[in-house]
Amino acid sequence: MVAPSVIGVAGRVGSWKSSLATLLSEQSGWAVVRFSDYLKHLAGVRGIVPDRESLQRLGVECIEAGWDQFCT
């Protein structure tokens, strides 16, 4: 059986996504990569103030562009 290369965890604010990701990371030894961290980095590169509204718009833009860029 081939091990997955990515496990995605999605949910609303406060739905324990981070806690679940941390637990999975501790159990598997895999790194945790958060989409929000990527968005904050991208905002900085683009000179965008990383407030909630700007990050939301940037997130939508990234999702519409496809997951390849984020996953690599």
Side-chain angles (χ1 to χ4, degrees):
M1 184 168 164
V2 176
S5 57
V6 174
I7 296 175
V9 180
R12 293 181 175 263
V13 173
S15 64
W16 294 77
K17 297 179 301 292
S18 292
S19 297
L20 178 58
T22 299
L23 179 64
L24 289 171
S25 175
E26 290 170 353
Q27 295 291 316
S28 67
W30 287 14
V32 175
V33 180
R34 290 180 175 83
F35 188 53
S36 62
D37 292 339
Y38 173 70
L39 293 177
K40 290 172 187 173
H41 166 76
L42 191 57
V45 168
R46 293 186 181 183
I48 298 170
V49 175
D51 61 15
R52 188 178 185 101
E53 185 177 306
S54 297
L55 293 175
Q56 182 70 34
R57 279 195 307 266
L58 190 55
V60 169
E61 178 186 318
C62 289
I63 290 168
E64 288 175 351
W67 289 100
D68 291 341
Q69 199 170 17
F70 170 68
C71 291
T72 55

